[in-house]
Amino acid sequence: MRKRSLRVRFSSRMNSGTACRIRTARTSAVCSACLQFTKTKRCRRLAVERSGHQCRLVLSEVSTCPRRKSCCHCEGHLRARGPANAFHKHGIDENEVVIDAQMADHDAAMALVLDSLINSDDAPIKSLDEIDAIGHRIVQGGKYFDKSVLIDDDVIEKIDELAELAPLHNKAALMGIRACQKHMPNIPMVAVFDTSFFQTLPPKAYMYPLPYEYYEKYAIRKYGAHGTSHRYISERAAVVLDEPLEDLKLITCHLGNGCSMSAIDHGVAVDTSMGLTPLDGLMMGTRCGAIDPAIVPFLMEHENLTTSEVNDVMNKKSGLLGISGVSNDLRSVRDASEGGNERAQLAYDMYSNSVKKYIGAYIAVMGGVDAIVLTAGVGENCEKMRRMIFAGLQPLGIILDEEKNRQRGFEREISADNSAVKIVIIPTNEEYMIALDTFRIVEESEIDRDI
Ligand code: AMP
């Protein structure tokens, strides 16, 4: 069976001056990992991701080959215009279509994206009927979802109920779901949760040492985030290392504007740095990560801040931006530090130190580590940050190869030949995981229906 699906990511600030860029790529019918045409099964799927500032949409065909990579069919980005949200991240290729348009709301944005899928020059599909399924990235699945599910009214209600734990993300995702329901009412939709990968955490890792009644009353516990990324890079790392995932102790590091790390013991997530919300753990672009909780009431009292204002400080004004005063973008912080800016240097040092501490903690949690896996903007691209993170870890058997660290490329090992612990870079591909889950779940539901 051949399936097509659609995945879209939306942002909550996409209400004015929004631009849209659609990039199409030729689809390969051959699995790019194993090059075996006959072992691939394809699904054209649209993936929808809505997060803080953007809507991301990927139309892909899915290969179910275990050594697979995705075959991206078309990728679209909708971003609120502004200095911090420009399109500069995405390389221009000859198939790219850029649309500048005012979009009143998410519904209008979705209509424009769907129209460009079928009507732009070099449109990847001729009709929306060619899409077989839609996958939505949902940040918070709480206690309800330990795996991806077909979306129905009950699922929508639970995503809404959980919005309290991820207000920016879950509400935005719901807008994406509703827009898809409106424009493609007959296409099945799947919710893929960032938190479900961490439902394997043992209670000693997910409980907070607060009065137990708050866990019972409000389900306050660690849920983690970026789970789809950690799941993908752990699976791909096993392929790159040519070892079964079930035999490996991995520390996975998603280091971008948002940062999180996980301990994955024999394929099972046993700890992760993000908590009840994606604010916990590592220092990030604008988020503070873990701080002494007593700072919160102190600031509220001395700066006369409301709960929402103090939340804003910790989520949007802290991290690299808060310390450096320069930017949340590590490249700008790096340039400023190299130009002698001491606060920028401090921000750089703190970021690397924060990652280093979690490496130590997770080695202790798992009683060792076979490989450390890096992904996202900083993990994949910043050789200087990687050098700082791994500096001094030789006593733990972790040795970076300076030459390999400088090389640019795709999935690769950058540890020295004599390093007991491998260091691996895996560019994340959450879209692919969403596509794959969507494909499997829709296929299963069709089989069930046929029985
Ligand atoms: P992400 O959230 O994964 O898009 O990652 C964004 C972060 O990656 C920003 O802090 C960027 O500065 C950083 N980043 C992206 N490319 C590079 C690069 N070539 N060198 C250093 N940092 C980079």
Side-chain angles (χ1 to χ4, degrees):
M1 180 180 55
R2 184 180 152 127
K3 295 212 144 287
R4 289 153 184 186
S5 73
L6 183 70
R7 185 177 85 110
V8 186
R9 182 159 80 180
F10 272 107
S11 109
S12 53
R13 290 218 321 235
M14 227 175 52
N15 43 8
S16 66
T18 305
C20 170
R21 168 173 291 191
I22 302 290
R23 193 175 60 184
T24 60
R26 302 270 170 236
T27 308
S28 164
V30 181
C31 171
S32 51
C34 72
L35 301 178
Q36 291 184 49
F37 179 80
T38 51
K39 284 195 179 170
T40 66
K41 201 168 192 178
R42 295 185 299 151
C43 162
R44 195 168 291 171
R45 191 194 65 91
L46 183 65
V48 185
E49 277 185 54
R50 285 202 35 177
S51 63
H53 309 95
Q54 61 176 330
C55 163
R56 181 144 186 232
L57 166 153
V58 178
L59 180 68
S60 53
E61 296 209 354
V62 179
S63 155
T64 49
C65 167
R67 295 186 69 81
R68 79 288 180 273
K69 288 182 193 168
S70 66
C71 302
C72 178
H73 199 61
C74 160
E75 190 173 341
H77 300 265
L78 286 165
R79 289 198 160 207
R81 273 235 186 266
N85 296 311
F87 280 104
H88 59 272
K89 270 177 57 176
H90 302 283
I92 297 186
D93 63 55
E94 58 193 33
N95 289 327
E96 197 161 66
V97 180
V98 180
I99 304 167
D100 264 309
Q102 293 289 324
M103 286 169 244
D105 54 23
H106 296 86
D107 192 45
M110 176 60 90
L112 184 134
V113 167
L114 294 177
D115 183 61
S116 66
L117 275 182
I118 50 179
N119 288 324
S120 61
D121 292 345
D122 207 12
I125 50 176
K126 291 192 173 56
S127 146
L128 292 181
D129 294 341
E130 289 181 43
I131 294 168
D132 293 299
I134 303 167
H136 291 268
R137 176 188 178 202
I138 313 290
V139 163
Q140 182 52 264
K143 62 182 175 187
Y144 296 122
F145 302 105
D146 60 3
K147 55 180 184 306
S148 307
V149 293
L150 207 58
I151 295 178
D152 60 17
D153 289 347
D154 183 50
V155 170
I156 290 176
E157 213 171 279
K158 290 201 166 77
I159 293 171
D160 198 19
E161 182 190 321
L162 291 165
E164 203 177 17
L165 299 178
L168 278 181
H169 298 91
N170 272 31
K171 287 279 181 202
L174 279 174
M175 283 190 247
I177 290 173
R178 294 202 174 103
C180 287
Q181 273 179 329
K182 179 174 167 194
H183 295 284
M184 295 171 286
N186 300 318
I187 300 178
M189 295 195 285
V190 168
V192 179
F193 299 93
D194 259 15
T195 47
S196 57
F197 183 61
F198 299 118
Q199 285 293 298
T200 52
L201 260 56
K204 66 180 177 189
Y206 72 65
M207 287 299 290
Y208 290 112
L210 289 166
Y212 197 82
E213 68 197 75
Y214 298 137
Y215 170 64
E216 293 175 313
K217 255 165 109 173
Y218 306 114
I220 290 180
R221 48 157 285 180
K222 183 189 278 270
Y223 291 104
H226 291 151
T228 315
S229 175
H230 288 278
R231 189 175 133 213
Y232 176 79
I233 63 170
S234 60
E235 290 181 11
R236 283 304 307 167
V239 173
V240 169
L241 295 167
D242 204 16
E243 300 269 358
L245 183 59
E246 297 71 29
D247 290 352
L248 291 169
K249 291 180 181 187
L250 299 176
I251 296 175
T252 49
C253 315
H254 180 112
L255 307 178
N257 202 25
C259 302
S260 61
M261 288 174 60
S262 300
I264 303 178
D265 197 353
H266 298 88
V268 177
V270 293
D271 209 343
T272 193
S273 60
M274 282 179 166
L276 173 73
T277 72
L279 179 59
D280 198 5
L282 296 152
M283 171 177 173
M284 311 181 209
T286 59
R287 282 171 260 173
C288 58
I291 56 170
D292 180 346
I295 295 170
V296 177
F298 181 94
L299 278 181
M300 290 175 78
E301 202 180 314
H302 288 78
E303 291 280 308
N304 202 18
L305 299 177
T306 63
T307 45
S308 139
E309 284 165 344
V310 80
N311 219 10
D312 218 49
V313 168
M314 294 187 294
N315 275 288
K316 297 182 184 158
K317 298 179 181 163
S318 301
L320 286 173
L321 174 66
I323 293 295
S324 71
V326 173
S327 172
N328 64 319
D329 190 306
L330 191 71
R331 284 166 291 202
S332 310
V333 177
R334 179 190 55 201
D335 294 347
S337 74
E338 284 169 359
N341 183 322
E342 287 180 10
R343 272 177 53 186
Q345 185 58 48
L346 175 63
Y348 220 89
D349 292 345
M350 287 171 68
Y351 189 104
S352 63
N353 203 44
S354 160
V355 177
K356 208 186 271 274
K357 284 200 279 193
Y358 271 96
I359 291 176
Y362 289 163
I363 290 176
V365 164
M366 294 189 289
V369 61
D370 296 304
I372 299 171
V373 191
L374 301 160
T375 197
V378 176
E380 289 168 33
N381 300 306
C382 191
E383 61 175 83
K384 180 175 174 186
M385 182 57 80
R386 291 193 299 256
R387 210 178 310 122
M388 289 175 69
I389 289 169
F390 295 112
L393 298 188
Q394 292 88 338
L396 299 177
I398 305 168
I399 308 171
L400 185 72
D401 183 307
E402 291 286 343
E403 181 50 38
K404 290 183 198 162
N405 187 41
R406 269 192 294 274
Q407 287 162 10
R408 294 245 154 200
F410 214 51
E411 295 177 337
R412 64 199 188 277
E413 247 185 79
I414 55 166
S415 40
D417 293 343
N418 62 340
S419 179
V421 177
K422 304 286 181 211
I423 307 170
V424 185
I425 295 183
I426 306 282
T428 195
N429 196 341
E430 290 158 291
E431 290 77 19
Y432 178 72
M433 290 314 268
I434 297 173
L436 193 64
D437 275 8
T438 302
F439 168 71
R440 287 185 175 144
I441 287 167
V442 170
E443 190 178 50
E444 274 164 27
S445 77
E446 284 172 355
I447 291 168
D448 288 349
R449 222 178 34 218
D450 291 345
I451 291 173

